[in-house]
Amino acid sequence: MSHNEMIQLNQVQVTSEFWQRYRNLVVKEVLPYQWEVMNDQANINIADDPQNNGQDNNSHAIANLKIAAGLKSGHHYGFPFQDTDVYKWLEAAAYSFSYHQDDNLKKMTDELIDLIADAQDDDGYLSTYFQIDAPERKFKRLQQSHELYTMGHYIEAGVAYYQATGNQKALQIAERMADCIDKNFGLKDGQIHGYDGHPEIELALARLFEATQEQRYLDLAHYFLNQRGQNPEFFDEQIKADGVDRDLIAGMRDFPRRYYQAAEPIKDQQTADGHAVRVVYLCTGMAMVARHTGDQELLAACKRFWNDIVKRRMYITGNIGSTTTGEAFTYDYDLPNDTMYGETCASVGMSFFAKEMLKIEAKGEYGDILEKELFNGSLSGMSLDGKHFFYVNPLEADPTASKLNPGKSHILTHRADWFGCACCPANLARLITSVDQYIYTVHDNTILSHQFIANEASFSDGVTVTQTNNFPWQGDIKYHLENANHKTYQFGIRVPQWSQDEFSVAVNGQNVDATIEDGFIYLTIDQDNVDIELTLNMATKLMRSNNRVKANFGQVAVTRGPLVYAAEEADNEAPLWDYHVNTKDDTTYDYQEETLGGVGVITVPATREQLESTDDALYKSIDDVPNEIDAQLTLVPYYSWANRLNGQMRVWLYR
Amino acid sequence: MSHNEMIQLNQVQVTSEFWQRYRNLVVKEVLPYQWEVMNDQANINIADDPQNNGQDNNSHAIANLKIAAGLKSGHHYGFPFQDTDVYKWLEAAAYSFSYHQDDNLKKMTDELIDLIADAQDDDGYLSTYFQIDAPERKFKRLQQSHELYTMGHYIEAGVAYYQATGNQKALQIAERMADCIDKNFGLKDGQIHGYDGHPEIELALARLFEATQEQRYLDLAHYFLNQRGQNPEFFDEQIKADGVDRDLIAGMRDFPRRYYQAAEPIKDQQTADGHAVRVVYLCTGMAMVARHTGDQELLAACKRFWNDIVKRRMYITGNIGSTTTGEAFTYDYDLPNDTMYGETCASVGMSFFAKEMLKIEAKGEYGDILEKELFNGSLSGMSLDGKHFFYVNPLEADPTASKLNPGKSHILTHRADWFGCACCPANLARLITSVDQYIYTVHDNTILSHQFIANEASFSDGVTVTQTNNFPWQGDIKYHLENANHKTYQFGIRVPQWSQDEFSVAVNGQNVDATIEDGFIYLTIDQDNVDIELTLNMATKLMRSNNRVKANFGQVAVTRGPLVYAAEEADNEAPLWDYHVNTKDDTTYDYQEETLGGVGVITVPATREQLESTDDALYKSIDDVPNEIDAQLTLVPYYSWANRLNGQMRVWLYR
């Protein structure tokens, strides 16, 4: 038995109480609910959705597929990318089978695969809007059409469904789509020398390559990345030929080329600009293709964008996208809390990007950000009941402001039933049902344990890892490693950046001196049974921003372990800006089983200015000092906000 | 000779150096420049205007009148209210004759009156857009047509021109317009039971009543005020009849009824909601009509709106309008500094409102706000060269933010040549040329001196007042009163709110104990010659907001006398948020002749956080304290900002 053979991850069963609750919620509530929505059987109300542009309360997503399949007549309804709601739901369902076999669901999803196959054109093309209502415009307006984005989402779902169930048809649909795209796109004569306005096909083709080892798919993904921005006029030329006024999505034509990451070739793009979801989907594809091809320019671009996002454009919760206009990045250090975007999908996509970067290099920062997204910016997208969703995730919210200041009308202060553009709910669902795939990364002979999500994992060569913990509430992370075959391998454990000042590691009950290398400590494992205990620093911390961030100047955010905390009006008398955190005195921490499905609650000592009268002068001398009263701020994890009162919320608090 | 006879103000000659500079600038630069612009002879560039919606660089305003007069052919160009640029310019020119006789200008304006008369329809109607391109739609879409707004602006100009020059034709055009409107609007059968979407006609008709004593005009103004909001469906009904999709101004239909102050009758409106300029124009008309008719409900509404604006919705500079969406008010205490609107026209209109309220009651607060507008929020609308203008007046500006954060794209950080919607430049010009009318208000036998703008004023009964000062730079306000006829009258002097803690009054060299009554001190004058010296407190003050204002929490603004100060990047290393004002140490003040046309410059001690590296972590523990360095902030008057470097600016500074 070779000790140097590469280790492979076989399976991970999540046992984490925290995540099991969410994973069961997706199975019990989210998937059935979204299925009803997509079948127009749910009693939803999208009037809450500030982006709702006159859509009715039905999704029509399944109906569109039925029309394309010839099973129903009528017109397409919804966005050109309405199909993706179905595909992301399917992908989420596929992952759920790994922890929840459900014959009924399986029957529905098998039938859905049949429906999708029926809807697919003979040449592999599938985008119901164009098939039903605009067949002559296929691939003619890629800036707005989302055709490759749509097929990319199916490819992801098809691969996942095939891998979960062995359903060959699911994979064949994906292959036929990829073949259709491969035929139509490329640098040969007669091919379209272009790409989709919304990146996604790149990462999808890379996944299909990983599933099939078909080099053409990787080459095609690489083509799309290389070609992007090479001819900045590409979209304009298509639009001119297609008819300028015939927009598929109103207003999209007005966005600058950087919105689409199409202003210049990727290798020349210095900053993470434009629509945030597009950026992180593109980066995920870039990282996958860079890893498989060794393209160093692409890898450099991955790292450049990563650094720009993580060091200069990310909210402390992991949310990204500083403006609602174009759901986009703005510029370095521009992180307003009350007019921001922070789309749920963008945090989900950032998780994809982090996961892929971890496959490239064992750098703890990727795990840190992945953790930040999983426990904060992504998770906040769903209510505790699994039936209400945030598209936009602000760090400061005020129902009055959202109602009466139009610059904040995109900030919902309660989660909505559904959205006219319903990208986020199913995106989050597929992240939650696949979270088992985000815990370990294997590099050759090294297992990286980078997420503290309790689980039982089996690897090749009889290696098993049982991780037990009560994370994110407690910081004792226990591993039991079995190694029946006496394989020698490295076990790397990420020490989160938030605990690097204080942590300890014991192996079989003996403390060891562990040196952190790029965020990980490494142990050489060659014994049958090894017990490791990592103790993390779960102290409540007061954080500040780099002082280049204007929006948070003079303010603190409270964190504990991986969680960012928020003050809500449900616990604290409004207005919430009117508190000064007392940074000298002690905070308290108390896990409350009955609060918000079980959360650790933090209290922070503060003083509060007694609110002045509404008949008082609006401006006065600073010598006229308002009364200060002792107060206390009660904070709950950011992901759990807006599950009670529809009230104010703040992450950043004045000192 | 009766001593109780009412005093009347005859004439005021402004001698103030500060205001003479501006008034001469309007004569030498602004009026000729705007004339060229309106005649499409200026080399302007409205590409800078973020609201420019594809307009070309020509105004076409005079051309439209020529077409309507049959002197030229072609279509109307520009907004439906394009004519008002001409009328406001004419009004400004009319006022300028009181201090600058100019035969050439007089010839141009007389000819302009002839052109306007030629453009006017036989029935008195005049709105070139409808005359040229849509005669069948006259008065059919008042929500957007601005027809009464447009004619109202002419009426103001016509009255002013008649009063300045005696030109009867100018007045007759106004009377014929009013007669046309009187015929078409009212509660009789066959009349339109409606009103204009943009208030203005109310105050214009009241002015016409004041000039002509024709009761019908006052009644008509009163009708418009009473009728407003009585039928909230009025605009919708007109739009339905006119054809829903035939908008005159794109997007206007989407604004809520409160935007137009038309959701409910004025007497029921509790807060100052909607488009800020509309609100203050409406309030001005309300105050005029309330005064002339004694309508107590109207007066109560004036005071209600005044209080709401001044106590809860006004920036410290006097600017109003918290959002660019609808150029509107939002809600009480919502005063964001970097996404605000603060339209120049709104501050001009607020000056009108304050002036009218002063005529109703001798309350210093009205004079305080008028002063605030004159020296800050209005004046900032024009550059020192008289050729560049702000439409939007932010209290915090950053060129990078304006360029790269779309939520701030409406914030220009340098004044523009001109605007597609060019309401502001001429509005400010007419305020400056008529500022002599904003200095005194006479109530029966009392002269109120409420503005410290040096002047020589003559009243009835041989009363003259010579006010000398070097305001706003110095606080010694001297009056020499002559009273050859030994009239006994009260002379009220406003003690500004900012000086009420410390001031002194001397009469003929003797200090007197003066009690402030509602913001004024009163002296009984019966001697031939009286010298009064008021000494105001010109100390630099650090101000704060009522703590209900979230945007300014923990921040201070620096004021001195009537002036609000601002920190500019021209004087202070950016970023400007990165300074903590040291509120304990002394500030300095220095009048600098050579700076910005002569301004008092203030320095404030501060500390500054050394900026952290762009490679530094974005978030860190508060225990990781950035280096503080001693610094100093140099401040200049807010009105004078953006006359040097195109850089950052802040009014509110961290403590």
Side-chain angles (χ1 to χ4, degrees), chain B residues 447-475:
Chain B
I447 295 173
L448 297 175
S449 165
H450 51 76
Q451 297 304 318
F452 306 114
I453 295 174
N455 68 87
E456 294 171 7
S458 62
F459 296 81
S460 55
D461 296 321
V463 171
T464 66
V465 177
T466 304
Q467 188 188 144
T468 52
N469 62 50
N470 187 22
F471 199 75
W473 314 120
Q474 292 177 311

mmCIF file of all heavy atoms in Angstrom, chain B residues 447-475:
data_model
loop_
_atom_site.group_PDB
_atom_site.id
_atom_site.type_symbol
_atom_site.label_atom_id
_atom_site.label_comp_id
_atom_site.label_asym_id
_atom_site.label_seq_id
_atom_site.Cartn_x
_atom_site.Cartn_y
_atom_site.Cartn_z
ATOM 1 N N ILE B 447 -40.597 99.650 11.589
ATOM 2 C CA ILE B 447 -39.646 99.203 10.571
ATOM 3 C C ILE B 447 -38.846 98.052 11.176
ATOM 4 O O ILE B 447 -38.253 98.205 12.244
ATOM 5 C CB ILE B 447 -38.684 100.336 10.168
ATOM 6 C CG1 ILE B 447 -39.466 101.472 9.491
ATOM 7 C CG2 ILE B 447 -37.584 99.810 9.245
ATOM 8 C CD1 ILE B 447 -38.607 102.716 9.215
ATOM 9 N N LEU B 448 -38.884 96.909 10.498
ATOM 10 C CA LEU B 448 -38.075 95.779 10.947
ATOM 11 C C LEU B 448 -36.819 95.718 10.094
ATOM 12 O O LEU B 448 -36.899 95.590 8.871
ATOM 13 C CB LEU B 448 -38.846 94.466 10.783
ATOM 14 C CG LEU B 448 -40.131 94.305 11.597
ATOM 15 C CD1 LEU B 448 -40.826 92.997 11.202
ATOM 16 C CD2 LEU B 448 -39.830 94.316 13.090
ATOM 17 N N SER B 449 -35.680 95.809 10.750
ATOM 18 C CA SER B 449 -34.400 95.624 10.056
ATOM 19 C C SER B 449 -33.953 94.205 10.360
ATOM 20 O O SER B 449 -33.450 93.921 11.439
ATOM 21 C CB SER B 449 -33.382 96.633 10.585
ATOM 22 O OG SER B 449 -32.091 96.238 10.177
ATOM 23 N N HIS B 450 -34.177 93.312 9.392
ATOM 24 C CA HIS B 450 -33.904 91.905 9.714
ATOM 25 C C HIS B 450 -32.718 91.316 8.988
ATOM 26 O O HIS B 450 -32.302 90.210 9.279
ATOM 27 C CB HIS B 450 -35.149 91.041 9.521
ATOM 28 C CG HIS B 450 -35.814 91.219 8.188
ATOM 29 N ND1 HIS B 450 -35.314 90.677 7.055
ATOM 30 C CD2 HIS B 450 -36.936 91.908 7.838
ATOM 31 C CE1 HIS B 450 -36.098 91.007 6.039
ATOM 32 N NE2 HIS B 450 -37.086 91.764 6.480
ATOM 33 N N GLN B 451 -32.169 92.072 8.026
ATOM 34 C CA GLN B 451 -30.967 91.564 7.359
ATOM 35 C C GLN B 451 -29.868 92.610 7.450
ATOM 36 O O GLN B 451 -30.104 93.805 7.268
ATOM 37 C CB GLN B 451 -31.250 91.222 5.884
ATOM 38 C CG GLN B 451 -32.270 90.108 5.708
ATOM 39 C CD GLN B 451 -31.911 88.825 6.434
ATOM 40 O OE1 GLN B 451 -30.746 88.392 6.427
ATOM 41 N NE2 GLN B 451 -32.889 88.232 7.106
ATOM 42 N N PHE B 452 -28.648 92.111 7.688
ATOM 43 C CA PHE B 452 -27.507 93.014 7.858
ATOM 44 C C PHE B 452 -26.747 93.133 6.556
ATOM 45 O O PHE B 452 -25.616 92.681 6.417
ATOM 46 C CB PHE B 452 -26.642 92.526 9.017
ATOM 47 C CG PHE B 452 -27.459 92.347 10.266
ATOM 48 C CD1 PHE B 452 -27.650 91.103 10.822
ATOM 49 C CD2 PHE B 452 -28.084 93.448 10.844
ATOM 50 C CE1 PHE B 452 -28.418 90.947 11.958
ATOM 51 C CE2 PHE B 452 -28.873 93.297 11.984
ATOM 52 C CZ PHE B 452 -29.040 92.046 12.533
ATOM 53 N N ILE B 453 -27.425 93.736 5.629
ATOM 54 C CA ILE B 453 -26.856 93.993 4.316
ATOM 55 C C ILE B 453 -26.786 95.510 4.227
ATOM 56 O O ILE B 453 -27.822 96.180 4.204
ATOM 57 C CB ILE B 453 -27.761 93.378 3.226
ATOM 58 C CG1 ILE B 453 -27.769 91.847 3.372
ATOM 59 C CG2 ILE B 453 -27.318 93.827 1.840
ATOM 60 C CD1 ILE B 453 -28.728 91.129 2.448
ATOM 61 N N ALA B 454 -25.572 96.054 4.241
ATOM 62 C CA ALA B 454 -25.424 97.505 4.335
ATOM 63 C C ALA B 454 -26.198 98.190 3.207
ATOM 64 O O ALA B 454 -26.203 97.712 2.061
ATOM 65 C CB ALA B 454 -23.944 97.884 4.276
ATOM 66 N N ASN B 455 -26.844 99.314 3.554
ATOM 67 C CA ASN B 455 -27.728 99.938 2.570
ATOM 68 C C ASN B 455 -28.101 101.338 2.998
ATOM 69 O O ASN B 455 -27.883 101.738 4.154
ATOM 70 C CB ASN B 455 -29.002 99.102 2.428
ATOM 71 C CG ASN B 455 -29.834 99.158 3.692
ATOM 72 O OD1 ASN B 455 -30.651 100.076 3.851
ATOM 73 N ND2 ASN B 455 -29.622 98.227 4.624
ATOM 74 N N GLU B 456 -28.680 102.031 2.079
ATOM 75 C CA GLU B 456 -29.294 103.318 2.369
ATOM 76 C C GLU B 456 -30.751 103.206 1.961
ATOM 77 O O GLU B 456 -31.050 102.972 0.785
ATOM 78 C CB GLU B 456 -28.613 104.432 1.586
ATOM 79 C CG GLU B 456 -27.169 104.636 2.039
ATOM 80 C CD GLU B 456 -26.398 105.590 1.145
ATOM 81 O OE1 GLU B 456 -27.011 106.204 0.233
ATOM 82 O OE2 GLU B 456 -25.184 105.709 1.344
ATOM 83 N N ALA B 457 -31.636 103.366 2.938
ATOM 84 C CA ALA B 457 -33.050 103.133 2.669
ATOM 85 C C ALA B 457 -33.840 104.394 2.951
ATOM 86 O O ALA B 457 -33.571 105.113 3.916
ATOM 87 C CB ALA B 457 -33.565 101.993 3.532
ATOM 88 N N SER B 458 -34.812 104.639 2.101
ATOM 89 C CA SER B 458 -35.702 105.761 2.384
ATOM 90 C C SER B 458 -37.133 105.258 2.522
ATOM 91 O O SER B 458 -37.577 104.390 1.768
ATOM 92 C CB SER B 458 -35.604 106.817 1.279
ATOM 93 O OG SER B 458 -36.014 106.264 0.053
ATOM 94 N N PHE B 459 -37.790 105.817 3.532
ATOM 95 C CA PHE B 459 -39.172 105.433 3.828
ATOM 96 C C PHE B 459 -40.058 106.659 3.648
ATOM 97 O O PHE B 459 -39.571 107.772 3.389
ATOM 98 C CB PHE B 459 -39.258 104.915 5.272
ATOM 99 C CG PHE B 459 -38.453 103.652 5.486
ATOM 100 C CD1 PHE B 459 -37.074 103.719 5.703
ATOM 101 C CD2 PHE B 459 -39.069 102.407 5.472
ATOM 102 C CE1 PHE B 459 -36.326 102.568 5.891
ATOM 103 C CE2 PHE B 459 -38.321 101.254 5.660
ATOM 104 C CZ PHE B 459 -36.944 101.328 5.871
ATOM 105 N N SER B 460 -41.332 106.468 3.834
ATOM 106 C CA SER B 460 -42.256 107.601 3.767
ATOM 107 C C SER B 460 -41.997 108.545 4.941
ATOM 108 O O SER B 460 -41.259 108.201 5.874
ATOM 109 C CB SER B 460 -43.701 107.081 3.792
ATOM 110 O OG SER B 460 -43.894 106.271 4.940
ATOM 111 N N ASP B 461 -42.590 109.685 4.911
ATOM 112 C CA ASP B 461 -42.477 110.654 6.001
ATOM 113 C C ASP B 461 -41.048 111.104 6.255
ATOM 114 O O ASP B 461 -40.696 111.478 7.374
ATOM 115 C CB ASP B 461 -43.034 110.078 7.316
ATOM 116 C CG ASP B 461 -44.524 109.802 7.212
ATOM 117 O OD1 ASP B 461 -45.243 110.616 6.583
ATOM 118 O OD2 ASP B 461 -44.960 108.761 7.727
ATOM 119 N N GLY B 462 -40.204 110.982 5.239
ATOM 120 C CA GLY B 462 -38.850 111.503 5.388
ATOM 121 C C GLY B 462 -37.948 110.669 6.273
ATOM 122 O O GLY B 462 -36.892 111.113 6.708
ATOM 123 N N VAL B 463 -38.379 109.457 6.548
ATOM 124 C CA VAL B 463 -37.527 108.575 7.351
ATOM 125 C C VAL B 463 -36.471 107.944 6.450
ATOM 126 O O VAL B 463 -36.800 107.410 5.393
ATOM 127 C CB VAL B 463 -38.375 107.480 8.031
ATOM 128 C CG1 VAL B 463 -37.472 106.432 8.678
ATOM 129 C CG2 VAL B 463 -39.333 108.099 9.048
ATOM 130 N N THR B 464 -35.228 108.037 6.875
ATOM 131 C CA THR B 464 -34.176 107.314 6.151
ATOM 132 C C THR B 464 -33.373 106.495 7.147
ATOM 133 O O THR B 464 -33.230 106.858 8.315
ATOM 134 C CB THR B 464 -33.211 108.247 5.390
ATOM 135 O OG1 THR B 464 -32.482 109.008 6.353
ATOM 136 C CG2 THR B 464 -33.959 109.185 4.456
ATOM 137 N N VAL B 465 -32.875 105.389 6.631
ATOM 138 C CA VAL B 465 -32.027 104.513 7.447
ATOM 139 C C VAL B 465 -30.775 104.217 6.641
ATOM 140 O O VAL B 465 -30.861 103.758 5.506
ATOM 141 C CB VAL B 465 -32.747 103.198 7.789
ATOM 142 C CG1 VAL B 465 -31.813 102.279 8.575
ATOM 143 C CG2 VAL B 465 -34.044 103.450 8.568
ATOM 144 N N THR B 466 -29.645 104.529 7.235
ATOM 145 C CA THR B 466 -28.380 104.154 6.604
ATOM 146 C C THR B 466 -27.736 103.082 7.460
ATOM 147 O O THR B 466 -27.448 103.315 8.631
ATOM 148 C CB THR B 466 -27.448 105.366 6.489
ATOM 149 O OG1 THR B 466 -28.144 106.389 5.765
ATOM 150 C CG2 THR B 466 -26.166 104.999 5.759
ATOM 151 N N GLN B 467 -27.593 101.925 6.870
ATOM 152 C CA GLN B 467 -26.992 100.816 7.614
ATOM 153 C C GLN B 467 -25.595 100.593 7.064
ATOM 154 O O GLN B 467 -25.425 100.449 5.844
ATOM 155 C CB GLN B 467 -27.861 99.547 7.428
ATOM 156 C CG GLN B 467 -27.433 98.387 8.301
ATOM 157 C CD GLN B 467 -28.148 97.062 8.004
ATOM 158 O OE1 GLN B 467 -27.547 96.003 8.096
ATOM 159 N NE2 GLN B 467 -29.417 97.135 7.637
ATOM 160 N N THR B 468 -24.605 100.629 7.951
ATOM 161 C CA THR B 468 -23.242 100.355 7.493
ATOM 162 C C THR B 468 -22.663 99.203 8.303
ATOM 163 O O THR B 468 -22.896 99.085 9.503
ATOM 164 C CB THR B 468 -22.314 101.584 7.643
ATOM 165 O OG1 THR B 468 -22.412 102.049 8.987
ATOM 166 C CG2 THR B 468 -22.699 102.694 6.694
ATOM 167 N N ASN B 469 -21.952 98.346 7.622
ATOM 168 C CA ASN B 469 -21.324 97.209 8.299
ATOM 169 C C ASN B 469 -20.378 96.528 7.331
ATOM 170 O O ASN B 469 -20.337 96.872 6.139
ATOM 171 C CB ASN B 469 -22.384 96.209 8.801
ATOM 172 C CG ASN B 469 -23.192 95.608 7.655
ATOM 173 O OD1 ASN B 469 -22.619 95.134 6.674
ATOM 174 N ND2 ASN B 469 -24.524 95.654 7.765
ATOM 175 N N ASN B 470 -19.619 95.617 7.848
ATOM 176 C CA ASN B 470 -18.777 94.785 6.991
ATOM 177 C C ASN B 470 -19.205 93.325 7.171
ATOM 178 O O ASN B 470 -18.398 92.426 7.330
ATOM 179 C CB ASN B 470 -17.296 94.974 7.335
ATOM 180 C CG ASN B 470 -16.398 94.254 6.354
ATOM 181 O OD1 ASN B 470 -16.798 93.963 5.226
ATOM 182 N ND2 ASN B 470 -15.207 93.915 6.801
ATOM 183 N N PHE B 471 -20.480 93.164 7.184
ATOM 184 C CA PHE B 471 -21.091 91.859 7.352
ATOM 185 C C PHE B 471 -20.961 91.075 6.053
ATOM 186 O O PHE B 471 -21.053 91.660 4.986
ATOM 187 C CB PHE B 471 -22.578 92.096 7.694
ATOM 188 C CG PHE B 471 -23.277 90.944 8.343
ATOM 189 C CD1 PHE B 471 -23.044 90.625 9.679
ATOM 190 C CD2 PHE B 471 -24.188 90.187 7.628
ATOM 191 C CE1 PHE B 471 -23.722 89.567 10.288
ATOM 192 C CE2 PHE B 471 -24.854 89.125 8.228
ATOM 193 C CZ PHE B 471 -24.624 88.816 9.552
ATOM 194 N N PRO B 472 -20.767 89.778 6.036
ATOM 195 C CA PRO B 472 -20.787 88.846 7.177
ATOM 196 C C PRO B 472 -19.450 88.667 7.879
ATOM 197 O O PRO B 472 -19.341 87.772 8.713
ATOM 198 C CB PRO B 472 -21.204 87.537 6.497
ATOM 199 C CG PRO B 472 -20.541 87.611 5.159
ATOM 200 C CD PRO B 472 -20.631 89.061 4.763
ATOM 201 N N TRP B 473 -18.458 89.506 7.550
ATOM 202 C CA TRP B 473 -17.132 89.289 8.151
ATOM 203 C C TRP B 473 -17.018 89.900 9.534
ATOM 204 O O TRP B 473 -16.306 89.387 10.383
ATOM 205 C CB TRP B 473 -16.032 89.829 7.222
ATOM 206 C CG TRP B 473 -16.262 89.393 5.791
ATOM 207 C CD1 TRP B 473 -16.448 90.190 4.717
ATOM 208 C CD2 TRP B 473 -16.377 88.047 5.311
ATOM 209 N NE1 TRP B 473 -16.676 89.445 3.595
ATOM 210 C CE2 TRP B 473 -16.637 88.118 3.919
ATOM 211 C CE3 TRP B 473 -16.294 86.789 5.899
ATOM 212 C CZ2 TRP B 473 -16.799 86.986 3.130
ATOM 213 C CZ3 TRP B 473 -16.473 85.654 5.116
ATOM 214 C CH2 TRP B 473 -16.717 85.760 3.754
ATOM 215 N N GLN B 474 -17.690 91.038 9.745
ATOM 216 C CA GLN B 474 -17.632 91.682 11.048
ATOM 217 C C GLN B 474 -19.040 91.896 11.598
ATOM 218 O O GLN B 474 -19.992 92.011 10.827
ATOM 219 C CB GLN B 474 -16.877 93.007 10.945
ATOM 220 C CG GLN B 474 -15.394 92.770 10.635
ATOM 221 C CD GLN B 474 -14.617 94.050 10.450
ATOM 222 O OE1 GLN B 474 -15.046 94.937 9.706
ATOM 223 N NE2 GLN B 474 -13.478 94.147 11.097
ATOM 224 N N GLY B 475 -19.142 91.981 12.911
ATOM 225 C CA GLY B 475 -20.448 92.005 13.548
ATOM 226 C C GLY B 475 -20.881 93.354 14.088
ATOM 227 O O GLY B 475 -21.836 93.436 14.853
#
